[in-house]
Amino acid sequence: MSDLTEVEVLWLEKRIENRVRFGRIVDERKLDRHRRILSFAPGSIFAFVRWTSNDFGTIISRIDILRAVAPGQRCSTVPYVKPGGEIVLRLSGWPKVERVLQMIDAVEALGIDPADVAPDHWHHVHNRLSVNENPRRYTKARHQAWLHRQRVMRWQAL
Protein backbone atom coordinates (compact mmCIF):
# COMPACT_ATOMS: atom_id res chain seq x y z
CA MET A 1 0.00 0.00 0.00
CA SER A 2 1.47 3.34 -1.03
CA ASP A 3 1.06 6.70 0.69
CA LEU A 4 0.85 8.28 -2.74
CA THR A 5 -2.21 9.20 -4.78
CA GLU A 6 -2.02 7.58 -8.20
CA VAL A 7 -3.56 9.01 -11.37
CA GLU A 8 -3.85 7.00 -14.57
CA VAL A 9 -3.32 9.20 -17.61
CA LEU A 10 -4.42 7.92 -20.97
CA TRP A 11 -4.20 9.15 -24.54
CA LEU A 12 -5.97 7.59 -27.50
CA GLU A 13 -5.78 9.95 -30.47
CA LYS A 14 -9.07 11.77 -31.16
CA ARG A 15 -10.89 9.54 -28.62
CA ILE A 16 -9.71 9.90 -25.03
CA GLU A 17 -7.34 12.23 -23.25
CA ASN A 18 -6.88 12.01 -19.49
CA ARG A 19 -4.03 14.28 -18.45
CA VAL A 20 -2.62 16.16 -15.52
CA ARG A 21 -2.53 19.90 -16.24
CA PHE A 22 -0.41 20.82 -13.20
CA GLY A 23 0.94 19.28 -10.03
CA ARG A 24 4.19 18.00 -8.58
CA ILE A 25 4.65 14.42 -9.78
CA VAL A 26 6.79 12.37 -7.39
CA ASP A 27 6.75 9.12 -9.36
CA GLU A 28 5.81 7.97 -12.85
CA ARG A 29 5.30 4.48 -14.27
CA LYS A 30 4.70 3.71 -17.92
CA LEU A 31 2.12 0.95 -18.41
CA ASP A 32 2.09 0.88 -22.22
CA ARG A 33 2.29 3.33 -25.13
CA HIS A 34 -1.00 4.97 -24.16
CA ARG A 35 -1.10 4.80 -20.36
CA ARG A 36 1.03 6.00 -17.46
CA ILE A 37 0.55 6.20 -13.70
CA LEU A 38 1.52 9.51 -12.08
CA SER A 39 1.87 9.71 -8.30
CA PHE A 40 1.40 12.67 -5.95
CA ALA A 41 2.43 13.14 -2.31
CA PRO A 42 -0.27 13.63 0.34
CA GLY A 43 -1.39 17.25 0.58
CA SER A 44 -0.26 18.21 -2.90
CA ILE A 45 -2.66 19.89 -5.32
CA PHE A 46 -3.03 18.81 -8.94
CA ALA A 47 -5.41 19.33 -11.87
CA PHE A 48 -6.79 16.34 -13.75
CA VAL A 49 -8.45 16.94 -17.13
CA ARG A 50 -10.61 14.29 -18.82
CA TRP A 51 -11.88 14.53 -22.39
CA THR A 52 -13.68 11.87 -24.44
CA SER A 53 -15.22 11.96 -27.90
CA ASN A 54 -16.96 9.64 -30.30
CA ASP A 55 -17.80 9.84 -34.02
CA PHE A 56 -20.24 12.70 -33.34
CA GLY A 57 -17.98 14.95 -31.21
CA THR A 58 -17.05 15.58 -27.60
CA ILE A 59 -19.05 13.62 -25.04
CA ILE A 60 -17.10 14.43 -21.83
CA SER A 61 -15.09 17.47 -20.87
CA ARG A 62 -14.19 17.66 -17.17
CA ILE A 63 -11.58 19.19 -14.90
CA ASP A 64 -10.95 18.27 -11.28
CA ILE A 65 -8.51 20.10 -9.06
CA LEU A 66 -7.74 17.71 -6.23
CA ARG A 67 -5.69 17.55 -3.07
CA ALA A 68 -3.91 14.21 -2.68
CA VAL A 69 -4.90 12.51 0.58
CA ALA A 70 -2.88 10.65 3.18
CA PRO A 71 -3.75 7.02 3.98
CA GLY A 72 -6.91 6.85 6.08
CA GLN A 73 -8.13 10.35 5.20
CA ARG A 74 -11.61 10.79 3.79
CA CYS A 75 -11.71 11.33 0.08
CA SER A 76 -14.06 11.43 -2.86
CA THR A 77 -13.77 8.82 -5.54
CA VAL A 78 -12.70 10.15 -8.91
CA PRO A 79 -12.35 7.93 -11.98
CA TYR A 80 -8.71 7.05 -12.70
CA VAL A 81 -7.56 8.42 -9.30
CA LYS A 82 -6.55 5.97 -6.53
CA PRO A 83 -7.60 6.09 -3.75
CA GLY A 84 -9.39 9.35 -4.68
CA GLY A 85 -8.85 12.90 -3.53
CA GLU A 86 -10.25 15.91 -1.76
CA ILE A 87 -12.14 17.82 -4.44
CA VAL A 88 -11.12 21.47 -4.57
CA LEU A 89 -12.77 22.20 -7.92
CA ARG A 90 -14.92 20.03 -10.18
CA LEU A 91 -16.47 21.35 -13.37
CA SER A 92 -17.69 19.79 -16.57
CA GLY A 93 -18.68 21.06 -20.00
CA TRP A 94 -16.15 22.54 -22.36
CA PRO A 95 -16.98 26.26 -21.78
CA LYS A 96 -16.34 25.93 -18.02
CA VAL A 97 -13.31 23.66 -18.44
CA GLU A 98 -11.85 26.13 -20.93
CA ARG A 99 -12.35 29.00 -18.44
CA VAL A 100 -10.51 27.08 -15.73
CA LEU A 101 -7.66 26.29 -18.14
CA GLN A 102 -7.45 30.00 -19.01
CA MET A 103 -7.32 30.85 -15.29
CA ILE A 104 -4.51 28.34 -14.81
CA ASP A 105 -2.64 29.97 -17.72
CA ALA A 106 -3.16 33.40 -16.09
CA VAL A 107 -1.68 32.15 -12.80
CA GLU A 108 1.34 30.77 -14.65
CA ALA A 109 1.72 34.12 -16.46
CA LEU A 110 2.21 35.69 -13.00
CA GLY A 111 5.15 33.34 -12.44
CA ILE A 112 3.20 31.30 -9.86
CA ASP A 113 2.97 27.51 -9.97
CA PRO A 114 -0.78 26.67 -9.95
CA ALA A 115 -0.01 23.87 -7.47
CA ASP A 116 0.99 26.58 -4.96
CA VAL A 117 -2.20 28.65 -5.34
CA ALA A 118 -4.42 28.97 -2.27
CA PRO A 119 -6.94 26.10 -2.39
CA ASP A 120 -9.61 28.63 -1.38
CA HIS A 121 -9.08 30.34 -4.73
CA TRP A 122 -9.88 27.14 -6.63
CA HIS A 123 -13.00 26.70 -4.41
CA HIS A 124 -13.98 30.26 -5.33
CA VAL A 125 -13.47 29.56 -9.05
CA HIS A 126 -15.59 26.40 -8.76
CA ASN A 127 -18.41 28.23 -6.97
CA ARG A 128 -18.50 31.21 -9.33
CA LEU A 129 -18.28 29.22 -12.58
CA SER A 130 -20.90 26.75 -11.31
CA VAL A 131 -23.44 29.58 -11.35
CA ASN A 132 -22.08 31.20 -14.54
CA GLU A 133 -20.48 34.14 -12.75
CA ASN A 134 -16.99 35.52 -13.26
CA PRO A 135 -14.46 34.55 -10.61
CA ARG A 136 -11.88 36.97 -9.21
CA ARG A 137 -8.46 36.75 -10.76
CA TYR A 138 -5.63 35.41 -8.65
CA THR A 139 -3.03 38.11 -8.03
CA LYS A 140 0.49 38.27 -6.65
CA ALA A 141 -0.91 40.11 -3.61
CA ARG A 142 -3.42 37.30 -2.93
CA HIS A 143 -0.63 34.77 -3.34
CA GLN A 144 1.63 36.64 -0.90
CA ALA A 145 -1.24 36.74 1.62
CA TRP A 146 -1.69 32.97 1.22
CA LEU A 147 2.03 32.32 1.73
CA HIS A 148 2.01 34.55 4.82
CA ARG A 149 -1.04 32.71 6.20
CA GLN A 150 0.79 29.38 5.75
CA ARG A 151 3.86 30.69 7.60
CA VAL A 152 1.70 31.94 10.49
CA MET A 153 -0.16 28.62 10.70
CA ARG A 154 3.14 26.67 10.78
CA TRP A 155 4.52 29.01 13.44
CA GLN A 156 1.39 28.61 15.59
CA ALA A 157 1.62 24.83 15.28
CA LEU A 158 5.07 24.89 16.93
Side-chain angles (χ1 to χ4, degrees), residues 4 23 41 45 49 61-62 64 73 76 92 100 111 113 117 122 133 141 152 155 157:
L4 302 176
I45 303 282
V49 181
S61 234
R62 167 165 275 147
D64 294 292
Q73 280 186 314
S76 297
S92 60
V100 175
D113 185 334
V117 166
W122 297 124
E133 292 291 332
V152 167
W155 181 77

Side-chain angles (χ1 to χ4, degrees), residues 11-81:
W11 182 77
L12 296 172
E13 189 174 358
K14 298 181 182 177
R15 288 296 201 195
I16 299 173
E17 184 177 352
N18 294 346
R19 66 183 175 99
V20 170
R21 174 57 181 83
F22 68 78
R24 288 191 185 82
I25 300 164
V26 296
D27 190 42
E28 180 174 345
R29 290 188 332 261
K30 185 175 180 175
L31 301 177
D32 57 41
R33 16 183 297 222
H34 301 287
R35 297 179 309 144
R36 294 177 295 140
I37 301 290
L38 308 179
S39 299
F40 297 89
S44 63
I45 303 282
F46 61 95
F48 183 45
V49 181
R50 290 182 285 148
W51 172 87
T52 306
S53 73
N54 62 18
D55 293 337
F56 303 102
T58 299
I59 54 176
I60 294 174
S61 234
R62 167 165 275 147
I63 186 166
D64 294 292
I65 297 180
L66 305 162
R67 184 188 332 252
V69 296
Q73 280 186 314
R74 288 186 314 192
C75 63
S76 297
T77 57
V78 177
Y80 304 100
V81 179

